[in-house]
Amino acid sequence: SCVCLWIRLRKMAGMNMSLSVAVLLLLAVAAAARKPGDPSPFTPAWQAAQLAKMPKNMVLHAPYTPFNNDTSINLTPINQMATLAKAMGVTTIWVVGAMGQFEAMTKEERMAVAEAWITAGHQQGMYVIVHVCSTVLSDAVAMAKHAKQAGADAIASMPPYVHAPNSFDDLFAFFQPMVEAAEDLPLFYYHLPGQTHYDPSVFAMMQEAQTKFPALLGVKWVGDSASDWWSLVQNYNTTRALLFAPEPKLQWFGLGIGRGTVLAEDFFAPTYLRMRSAYLTGNFAQAYKEQAWKLQAGDIFGKYGGAAAERVIYRKLIGTDIGYSRLPGDPFDEANYNALVAELNAIGFFTQDLPGANNSFEEGDDF
């Protein structure tokens, strides 16, 4: 019930009374959208239909949010960014997540960026997941509702990242108002323990969610427990969308590739797709070569500032500047721009073969 959810949330977050009342009102409004006794929309048939809408190979790109020189959001480059992502082989967009600096943006800014990506992503035939998490639950609910209205394919959320849930029941209670606001959209769990400091067994979470929270249909897994990922792939690889993030990718392939991968940067999609294809066909020497190239490119970006260097390289990739990160992100040292471009050019970064739409699993591929 709404009251039970409120009690769990209050215990979990240590809310004061005014905040507790606000949460209770949110839950009551969300519950009113579906009357008591109404069947849950999250049935096995719904699950099968939602999985069928997802790309067979979910090559996920979490784009940087474009900013102007005054750090205001800049929606203009998003169409060009979407076109590039599609050409690189991306099938799935994750907006606005940690790469997009969601924590440094207002609710209104996040909704504007999400809507621009939904439009641009769908024009390119990509599946769009909108990350709506906020420690201000009313903001998360508003963004989830907006995501549904704007045409998103799914929503996503990390756990509350200040007060950790005491149980999966508490976690599901935190997600419930978002799911109600998004109506029939699936939820992806954003497993990012390095930043949230909440590191449960996602396999155990999925076990409980089967009966308690069936809206949970996928996970963006940025963990480091080999046994957790192995258990997920062995038990849920055909009934959940399992998206794998850690590097190096090749090291983890033996535990199960999952339904897709989290690349963050779209410009690493071509080498990943070649690596996966080589691995699945037994051409391990080529797979090793692709992984080595990816690490080499990553080292070059790291040498020149990491994310700051990755952001400025879009000037060359799409011919448009997407700006620097907001604080506390570091600005790029412009004196290094030509050297960055030269080193990337020397390893063939700008002359990669682009897979475009040729990135789906072939018949018989084991994922």
Side-chain angles (χ1 to χ4, degrees), residues 103-181:
E103 77 291 348
M105 297 170 63
T106 67
K107 172 185 83 228
E108 291 75 18
E109 288 175 326
R110 290 172 65 181
M111 290 191 294
V113 172
E115 188 165 341
W117 266 108
I118 291 166
T119 299
H122 285 170
Q123 286 174 349
Q124 297 295 329
M126 294 184 289
Y127 188 88
V128 182
I129 304 168
V130 177
H131 176 243
V132 301
C133 184
S134 172
T135 53
V136 180
L137 191 55
S138 60
D139 285 356
V141 170
M143 288 185 286
K145 182 177 182 180
H146 174 265
K148 171 64 178 178
Q149 293 172 340
D153 298 296
I155 62 169
S157 180
M158 59 175 57
Y161 43 89
V162 176
H163 298 284
N166 293 317
S167 67
F168 290 139
D169 284 344
D170 286 345
L171 180 65
F172 300 156
F174 177 72
F175 291 151
Q176 185 65 31
M178 305 177 208
V179 168
E180 293 282 357

Side-chain angles (χ1 to χ4, degrees), residues 2 39 43 104 112-113 120 136 144 153 196 214 230 247 271 282 285 290-291 312 315 317-318 320 352 361:
C2 288
T43 63
V113 172
V136 180
D153 298 296
T196 64
W230 167 259
E247 292 286 350
T271 192
E290 295 292 348
Q291 181 65 82
V312 299
R315 296 175 191 170
L317 293 173
I318 63 173
T320 300
Q352 299 182 67
F361 276 91

Side-chain angles (χ1 to χ4, degrees), residues 254-314:
L255 296 177
I257 295 179
R259 191 180 181 100
T261 191
V262 179
L263 296 170
E265 305 91 340
D266 53 353
F267 44 71
F268 284 136
T271 192
Y272 167 77
L273 289 165
R274 291 191 296 267
M275 182 184 2
R276 177 182 65 77
S277 178
Y279 178 85
L280 291 173
T281 56
N283 188 352
F284 300 124
Q286 182 62 32
Y288 298 150
K289 181 179 178 181
E290 295 292 348
Q291 181 65 82
W293 183 91
K294 197 274 181 185
L295 293 172
Q296 184 180 15
D299 286 344
I300 293 172
F301 280 115
K303 175 181 176 181
Y304 291 104
E310 290 183 350
R311 291 183 69 95
V312 299
I313 213 62
Y314 281 94

Side-chain angles (χ1 to χ4, degrees), residues 144-220:
K145 182 177 182 180
H146 174 265
K148 171 64 178 178
Q149 293 172 340
D153 298 296
I155 62 169
S157 180
M158 59 175 57
Y161 43 89
V162 176
H163 298 284
N166 293 317
S167 67
F168 290 139
D169 284 344
D170 286 345
L171 180 65
F172 300 156
F174 177 72
F175 291 151
Q176 185 65 31
M178 305 177 208
V179 168
E180 293 282 357
E183 300 180 18
D184 60 345
L185 295 186
L187 174 75
F188 280 71
Y189 175 66
Y190 194 177
H191 184 55
L192 192 65
Q195 294 190 25
T196 64
H197 309 293
Y198 177 64
D199 193 11
S201 163
V202 182
F203 169 61
M205 181 192 303
M206 287 294 185
Q207 286 181 304
E208 289 205 25
Q210 280 187 276
T211 56
K212 294 181 177 180
F213 198 66
L216 180 57
L217 201 57
V219 57
K220 180 180 176 183

